[in-house]
Amino acid sequence: ERRIISGIACSDNEAKISIIGIRDEPGAVAAIFKPLAEAGISVDMIVQDVSKDGGLADVTFTVDKDLLDRTLKLIKGSREKTGFKDLISDRNVIKLTVVGLGMAGQAGVAQTMFTALGEKGINIQAISATDIKISVLVQEKHQKEALKSLHAAYGLDKR
Amino acid sequence: ERRIISGIACSDNEAKISIIGIRDEPGAVAAIFKPLAEAGISVDMIVQDVSKDGGLADVTFTVDKDLLDRTLKLIKGSREKTGFKDLISDRNVIKLTVVGLGMAGQAGVAQTMFTALGEKGINIQAISATDIKISVLVQEKHQKEALKSLHAAYGLDKR
Ligand SMILES: C[C@@H](O)[C@H](N)C(=O)O
Ligand SMILES: C[C@@H](O)[C@H](N)C(=O)O
C-alpha cells in the first residue's frame, strides 16, 4: 500500500484562544493581531470561518502555552479598539498535523484523518487545512490514542 | 530589509462551500467529507472553528470551480446522514497564500498580510493558517489590488 502522507506531527505545547464576535469588516483581524505581533508573540494555527449572523465573525488561534496569559492580557487590553463579544481559552489541547505528499489520490488524506479520529470517539474542535497540510485541535487527553489511530489509518504502524 | 516570506500565491480556480450547522460530535466531519473522498474530489482549504451554540459547528472548504456543482450534489445527497442546517457556496473567491520562512520574527507575518488587505478595504472571508503558511479567502474582484498590496507589504515589489 503506497504512502500518501509524508508525516504525522503532534504539538502539545499549544493553547487555544477563541475570540468571539469580531466585526466582519476590513481591518478587523489586523487590529486583533496587532498587539500580539508588536509583542513578538508568534501565532501558530489560525482558523476563521465566514460570518453568518449580523456581520460578526469568530477567530480561533493557538500560541505557546507559556505565552497564553500574556496573550489574553494583550487581547483584553485592546478590546476598546477591536470590540469583541467574548474571549475563551483552553490549555488542554493538542494540535495534530498530517502532511500529504501532494500526489494523485490526495482526496482521501483529510477524510482518512477525520475518520481515524471519529471512529475512536475523539472530537475535533477545529480544523485548519490548506493544500497538503491538515491540522486539527483535539483534547490533550486523546494524544496517545489519536496518534495510534492516525498511524494505523495511514499504514504507518507496520514494522 | 530582510525577507520574511518565501512567497505569495494566488489561486483563482477555487469555489467556496460552507456547510452550516453540523453536529459537533466525533465522526461528524468524517461523514461530511466521505462522499467527496469516494468521488475522488480533492478538497483544498478547510476551515472549521470551535462550536459555540447548541453543539453545532460550521465548516468551510474549497474545491476546484469545475467540481462545485458535483460537490454540492454529493453533500445534499448525504444530508439525511449528516444533517446540516444550511449549505452556501460562492464561485467568486480567490485564495491568497503567504508562506513564511520559519525564522525568528515570524510573529509579524500574519499581521502583515491582514494589514495589507485591511488597509485596502479588502474583506477577509476566511482564514486557514498553520505554522508558516497562511491562506485567506477574499472576493475575486480584489485579486489585482490584493497581490499588489501584499507584494508591497512584504517588500517584494522593489526592483
Ligand atoms: C472577520 C475578519 O476577518 C474581517 N473580515 C477582516 O477582514 O479583518
Ligand atoms: C464539528 C466536527 O469537527 C466534529 N467535532 C467532529 O469531530 O467531526
Side-chain angles (χ1 to χ4, degrees):
Chain A
E1 205 182 299
R2 69 173 182 183
R3 285 183 67 175
I4 57 169
I5 66 167
S6 69
I8 297 170
C10 176
S11 168
D12 61 5
N13 186 30
E14 311 205 19
K16 171 183 76 174
I17 296 170
S18 293
I19 304 180
I20 309 292
I22 63 174
R23 288 183 293 270
D24 186 11
E25 55 188 40
V29 278
I32 288 283
F33 287 104
K34 186 164 189 272
L36 305 188
E38 286 174 350
I41 293 174
S42 276
V43 168
D44 181 8
M45 183 170 170
I46 306 173
V47 172
Q48 184 226 299
D49 201 351
V50 300
S51 69
K52 311 173 299 223
D53 47 357
L56 294 178
D58 309 326
V59 61
T60 290
F61 60 95
T62 63
V63 295
D64 278 0
K65 283 202 213 294
D66 54 7
L67 291 175
L68 179 59
D69 294 336
R70 217 169 134 224
T71 302
L72 292 173
K73 207 168 174 188
L74 287 164
I75 295 167
K76 288 175 191 161
S78 65
R79 193 173 190 170
E80 205 128 317
K81 247 194 186 165
T82 56
F84 54 86
K85 296 261 167 297
D86 212 351
L87 180 60
I88 306 168
S89 66
D90 184 355
R91 277 176 196 280
N92 298 328
V93 296
I94 53 170
K95 185 184 74 167
L96 299 162
T97 301
V98 163
V99 184
L101 284 169
M103 325 172 321
Q106 285 296 295
V109 177
Q111 178 59 17
T112 300
M113 184 183 202
F114 302 153
T115 304
L117 298 172
E119 283 177 345
K120 292 289 182 282
I122 296 169
N123 200 45
I124 295 167
Q125 300 179 4
I127 305 170
S128 175
T130 178
D131 265 358
I132 59 173
K133 200 170 186 182
I134 307 153
S135 290
V136 303
L137 293 178
V138 302
Q139 270 187 312
E140 215 163 38
K141 66 181 186 184
H142 295 309
Q143 183 165 349
K144 199 153 176 272
E145 181 155 39
L147 286 172
K148 191 157 174 268
S149 183
L150 287 171
H151 278 95
Y154 288 107
L156 296 179
D157 59 342
K158 303 182 176 61
R159 291 174 191 287
Chain B
E1 206 183 300
R2 70 174 182 181
R3 285 181 70 173
I4 57 168
I5 65 167
S6 70
I8 298 170
C10 178
S11 169
D12 60 7
N13 186 30
E14 310 204 21
K16 171 184 76 173
I17 296 170
S18 293
I19 304 181
I20 309 294
I22 63 172
R23 288 182 292 271
D24 186 12
E25 55 188 40
V29 279
I32 288 284
F33 287 103
K34 187 165 190 273
L36 305 188
E38 286 173 351
I41 293 173
S42 275
V43 168
D44 181 7
M45 182 170 171
I46 307 174
V47 171
Q48 183 226 299
D49 201 349
V50 299
S51 70
K52 313 172 297 221
D53 47 359
L56 294 178
D58 309 325
V59 60
T60 290
F61 60 96
T62 63
V63 296
D64 278 1
K65 283 200 213 294
D66 54 7
L67 291 176
L68 179 59
D69 294 337
R70 217 168 132 223
T71 301
L72 292 173
K73 208 168 174 189
L74 286 165
I75 294 167
K76 287 174 191 162
S78 66
R79 191 173 191 169
E80 206 128 316
K81 245 194 186 165
T82 56
F84 54 86
K85 296 264 168 293
D86 211 352
L87 180 60
I88 306 168
S89 65
D90 184 355
R91 277 177 196 278
N92 299 328
V93 296
I94 53 169
K95 184 183 76 166
L96 300 161
T97 300
V98 162
V99 185
L101 284 168
M103 324 173 320
Q106 285 296 298
V109 177
Q111 177 60 18
T112 300
M113 185 184 202
F114 302 153
T115 304
L117 298 172
E119 283 178 346
K120 292 287 182 282
I122 296 169
N123 200 44
I124 295 168
Q125 300 180 6
I127 305 169
S128 175
T130 176
D131 264 357
I132 60 173
K133 200 171 187 181
I134 307 154
S135 290
V136 303
L137 293 178
V138 302
Q139 270 187 312
E140 215 162 38
K141 68 182 185 183
H142 296 308
Q143 181 164 351
K144 199 154 176 271
E145 181 154 40
L147 287 172
K148 189 157 175 268
S149 184
L150 287 171
H151 279 95
Y154 288 107
L156 296 178
D157 59 341
K158 301 183 177 64
R159 292 172 189 288

